[in-house]
């Protein structure tokens, strides 16, 4: 019997469990979507109990699809939607409130009130003050959920991103997080790799409610899940860091982009903390066991695949998400139509929470195919915005972009991405790089894989897109995009 590594991929719209063998092949998997809760405009929530039930179900369903024995699973890794915030009672395991999702903007006033502390947060955490991150979400819950602050002060209410919530349930109460998730809270000091007391005081968050910060690859605890044998939980990475790890971007200067619900570009800066001057985030990429931490620059795009879902569900232009390619290919170009999907403001490099979505450039000539094309192109344009900022911050020319995520199935998008960047875009043989990264971290911790060099030998490219666009057209399209972005900024005061 060959040994396997399991990966729990707890994402924004669904939870998956995937089993990998030593050659990184997928043996079996199962996926379940969870409900998206929108109490009012700008508010986005998830039910943590539903997600935990789904986690147990996807593991059980995956095992039912294969004749493999559970004893062959020697470790499980976890990757998760980052920043999504849940606070629960450590005695009962019951959440005090639905989880506040990373897209949620209800903390806008809290963030505005912190503007005088902007420099402290930026220098210590590498992050701008934004609704995106966990810290302001914790404060909102403490200030607005009856009895929660008292419970937190008493040590009964504890916080975690989804990695902590899943790990706590899997291990029977281990309250931990990994260094990549901690770096997304606006509360962890990048230099000390610990919670920052001064920032906690500014946000009035009790330190005792925070999880212990651990590395991305080590044994945190064991789980039985009703099985006869205990399985080590030995890897945790926030989803975008997991994709970087799964793409084996272990060298300084390596870049990947994940096209999922949002769009996330990470640039490996090695052991150096590089503070951005161009609107990017500085974050922890990963830390393996007792090795030095590796850092990254990141550009985050809020709306990518979720924009296609929005068009599908609200305009009925398509019945299935994959149909958008067929609709967009009915025209040769966007017909002058640009879609800026600033539904929750704009993230990197603009960081404008008052921006709102806009479709601009409409004429009598424009039809639904032009709109469909503008939806796909919006993701590529936003990626270039981040790409340009990364080259400025690093002082390096990025020659290629490794890609993964569901939207890479769109040949039109990937070709346009290569065109608008004028760079090669490379898809790996195994597209499930987020789950694979979590599996890699877990496997390294238990010796399933020897080191990162062995992992690099596993990586193989499946497809390469190269630019076919002339420079004049590329410049004209990008200039129009930048004009469209300006129209979306500061719509909300």
């Amino acid at each position: 019997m060959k040994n396997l590594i399991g990966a729990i991929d707890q994402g924004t719209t669904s939870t998956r469990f995937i089993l990998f063998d030593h050659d990184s092949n997928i043996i079996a998997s199962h996926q379940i979507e969870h409900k998206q809760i929108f109490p009012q405009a700008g508010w986005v929530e998830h039910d943590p109990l539903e997600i935990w039930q789904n986690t147990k179900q996807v593991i059980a369903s995956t095992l039912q699809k294969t004749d493999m024995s559970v004893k062959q699973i020697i470790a499980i890794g976890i990757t998760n939607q980052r920043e999504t915030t849940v606070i629960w009672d450590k005695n009962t395991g019951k959440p005090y409130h639905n989880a506040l999702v990373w897209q949620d903007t209800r903390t806008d006033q809290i963030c505005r009130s912190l503007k005088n502390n902007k420099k402290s947060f930026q220098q210590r955490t590498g992050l701008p003050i934004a609704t995106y991150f966990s810290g302001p979400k914790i404060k909102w819950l403490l200030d607005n959920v009856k009895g929660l602050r008292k419970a937190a002060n008493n040590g009964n209410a504890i916080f975690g991103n989804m990695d902590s919530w899943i790990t706590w349930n899997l291990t029977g109460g281990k309250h931990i997080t990994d260094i990549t998730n901690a770096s997304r809270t606006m509360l962890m000091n990048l230099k000390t790799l610990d919670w920052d007391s001064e920032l906690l005081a500014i946000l009035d968050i009790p330190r005792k409610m925070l999880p212990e910060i651990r590395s991305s690859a080590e044994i945190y605890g064991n789980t039985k899940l009703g099985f006869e044998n205990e399985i080590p939980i030995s890897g945790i990475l926030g989803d975008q860091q997991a994709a970087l790890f799964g793409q084996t971007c272990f060298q300084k200067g390596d870049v990947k982009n994940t096209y999922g619900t949002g769009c996330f570009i990470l640039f490996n800066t090695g052991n150096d903390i590089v503070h951005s001057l161009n609107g990017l985030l500085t974050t922890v990429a990963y830390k393996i066991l007792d090795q030095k931490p590796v850092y990254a620059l990141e550009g985050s795009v809020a709306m990518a695949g979720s924009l296609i879902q929005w068009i599908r569900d609200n305009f009925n232009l398509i019945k299935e998400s994959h149909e958008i390619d067929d609709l967009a290919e009915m025209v040769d170009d966007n017909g002058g139509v640009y879609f800026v999907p600033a539904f929750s403001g704009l993230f990197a490099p603009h960081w404008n929470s008052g921006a709102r979505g806009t479709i601009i450039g409409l004429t009598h000539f424009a039809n639904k195919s032009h709109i469909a094309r503008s939806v796909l192109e919006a993701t590529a344009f936003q990626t270039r915005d981040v790409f340009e900022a990364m080259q400025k911050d690093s002082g390096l020319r990025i020659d290629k972009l490794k890609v993964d995520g569901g939207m890479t199935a769109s040949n039109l998008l990937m070709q346009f991405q290569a065109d608008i960047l004028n760079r090669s875009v490379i898809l790996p043989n195994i597209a499930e790089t987020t789950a694979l990264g979590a599996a890699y971290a877990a496997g390294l911790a238990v010796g399933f894989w020897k080191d990162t060099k062995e992992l690099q030998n596993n990586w193989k490219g499946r497809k390469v897109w190269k630019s076919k666009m002339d420079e004049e057209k590329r410049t004209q399209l990008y200039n129009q995009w930048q004009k469209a972005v300006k129209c979306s900024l500061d719509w909300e005061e």
Side-chain angles (χ1 to χ4, degrees), residues 312-463:
R312 178 196 67 193
D313 297 340
N314 294 281
F315 285 81
N316 296 320
L317 293 182
I318 53 175
K319 291 183 179 180
E320 301 290 339
S321 295
H322 65 84
E323 295 173 358
I324 197 161
D325 259 37
D326 294 334
L327 184 58
E329 285 175 350
M330 291 180 181
V331 291
D332 294 330
D333 55 38
N334 63 17
V337 179
Y338 292 80
F339 198 140
V340 183
F343 291 13
S344 301
L346 284 173
F347 288 177
H350 309 285
W351 294 108
N352 190 294
S353 60
R356 288 297 178 266
T358 182
I359 304 174
I360 200 164
L362 294 172
T363 64
H364 285 295
F365 174 70
N367 60 40
K368 61 184 180 181
S369 291
H370 293 114
I371 292 174
R373 196 172 186 105
S374 73
V375 166
L376 289 172
E377 290 183 356
T379 294
F381 281 127
Q382 290 178 100
T383 296
R384 176 163 171 183
D385 286 345
V386 174
F387 199 85
E388 297 288 346
M390 282 183 169
Q391 292 193 131
K392 290 177 183 176
D393 278 333
S394 67
L396 300 173
R397 185 185 189 276
I398 302 170
D399 292 319
K400 61 185 178 182
L401 180 66
K402 288 184 174 181
V403 298
D404 54 77
M407 293 182 77
T408 58
S410 170
N411 187 68
L412 190 154
L413 171 59
M414 292 296 100
Q415 182 58 55
F416 187 77
Q417 187 69 85
D419 287 339
I420 207 66
L421 289 178
N422 195 25
R423 299 290 191 278
S424 294
V425 171
I426 307 171
L427 180 70
N429 192 43
I430 298 174
E432 303 293 351
T433 53
T434 303
L436 182 60
Y440 278 167
L444 286 173
V446 297
F448 186 68
W449 288 291
K450 182 181 177 182
D451 53 29
T452 55
K453 289 182 179 179
E454 184 178 4
L455 301 181
Q456 284 177 310
N457 291 334
N458 273 355
W459 191 93
K460 295 179 178 63
R462 187 201 313 175
K463 189 170 183 179

Side-chain angles (χ1 to χ4, degrees), residues 174-219:
K174 299 281 187 182
H175 188 213
I176 61 149
T177 188
D178 97 294
I179 195 170
T180 67
N181 277 285
S183 75
R184 312 298 296 190
T185 60
M186 259 175 61
L187 302 174
M188 191 194 82
N189 190 304
L190 286 175
K191 292 181 179 178
T192 66
L193 306 179
D194 196 5
W195 305 118
D196 191 289
S197 298
E198 184 176 327
L199 301 183
L200 291 175
I202 291 171
L203 284 166
D204 196 17
I205 294 173
R207 188 186 184 101
K208 65 178 67 175
M209 70 185 300
L210 303 179
E212 179 188 357
I213 300 173
R214 306 276 285 271
S215 78
S216 308
E218 61 178 274
I219 296 175

Side-chain angles (χ1 to χ4, degrees), residues 147-361:
L148 180 54
R149 184 168 289 281
K150 181 179 179 180
N153 288 330
N154 290 340
N156 292 322
I158 56 176
F159 150 79
N161 291 333
M162 279 298 167
D163 67 306
S164 296
W165 169 245
I166 298 296
T167 303
W168 189 86
N169 281 287
L170 282 172
T171 60
K174 299 281 187 182
H175 188 213
I176 61 149
T177 188
D178 97 294
I179 195 170
T180 67
N181 277 285
S183 75
R184 312 298 296 190
T185 60
M186 259 175 61
L187 302 174
M188 191 194 82
N189 190 304
L190 286 175
K191 292 181 179 178
T192 66
L193 306 179
D194 196 5
W195 305 118
D196 191 289
S197 298
E198 184 176 327
L199 301 183
L200 291 175
I202 291 171
L203 284 166
D204 196 17
I205 294 173
R207 188 186 184 101
K208 65 178 67 175
M209 70 185 300
L210 303 179
E212 179 188 357
I213 300 173
R214 306 276 285 271
S215 78
S216 308
E218 61 178 274
I219 296 175
Y220 313 108
N222 296 319
T223 185
K224 285 190 175 180
L225 279 174
F227 307 137
E228 55 189 296
N229 61 308
E230 293 188 344
I231 303 172
I233 307 300
S234 57
I236 301 175
L237 287 160
D239 53 8
Q240 301 314 317
Q241 285 92 337
L244 186 82
F245 210 79
Q247 287 273 32
T248 67
C249 292
F250 301 134
Q251 303 301 315
K252 185 175 182 178
D254 286 348
V255 187
K256 74 87 197 176
N257 191 12
T258 298
Y259 300 77
T261 302
C263 205
F264 303 88
I265 306 98
L266 267 69
F267 178 99
N268 185 326
T269 63
N271 302 126
D272 300 324
I273 300 173
V274 178
H275 287 282
S276 175
L277 300 176
N278 295 282
L280 301 178
L281 311 179
T282 303
T283 194
V284 178
Y286 55 87
K287 183 179 186 298
I288 304 303
L289 297 168
D290 58 356
Q291 297 175 19
K292 290 183 178 180
V294 174
Y295 296 91
L297 286 169
E298 177 178 330
S300 308
V301 174
M303 296 284 292
S306 55
L307 180 59
I308 296 175
Q309 293 173 331
W310 183 81
I311 283 285
R312 178 196 67 193
D313 297 340
N314 294 281
F315 285 81
N316 296 320
L317 293 182
I318 53 175
K319 291 183 179 180
E320 301 290 339
S321 295
H322 65 84
E323 295 173 358
I324 197 161
D325 259 37
D326 294 334
L327 184 58
E329 285 175 350
M330 291 180 181
V331 291
D332 294 330
D333 55 38
N334 63 17
V337 179
Y338 292 80
F339 198 140
V340 183
F343 291 13
S344 301
L346 284 173
F347 288 177
H350 309 285
W351 294 108
N352 190 294
S353 60
R356 288 297 178 266
T358 182
I359 304 174
I360 200 164

Side-chain angles (χ1 to χ4, degrees), residues 58-108:
V58 294
I59 294 172
S61 297
T62 300
L63 291 171
Q64 289 171 4
K65 292 180 177 180
T66 175
D67 58 1
M68 297 288 181
S69 166
V70 70
K71 291 183 178 180
Q72 293 174 253
I73 306 174
I74 64 168
I76 293 175
I78 298 170
T79 182
N80 59 289
Q81 51 168 324
R82 305 168 304 171
E83 299 94 19
T84 294
T85 299
V86 59
I87 299 177
W88 67 96
D89 187 317
K90 73 175 184 180
N91 300 306
T92 67
K94 183 178 179 181
Y96 286 91
H97 191 278
N98 279 336
L100 305 191
V101 181
W102 58 273
Q103 299 157 314
D104 191 287
T105 60
R106 76 185 68 187
T107 59
D108 187 51

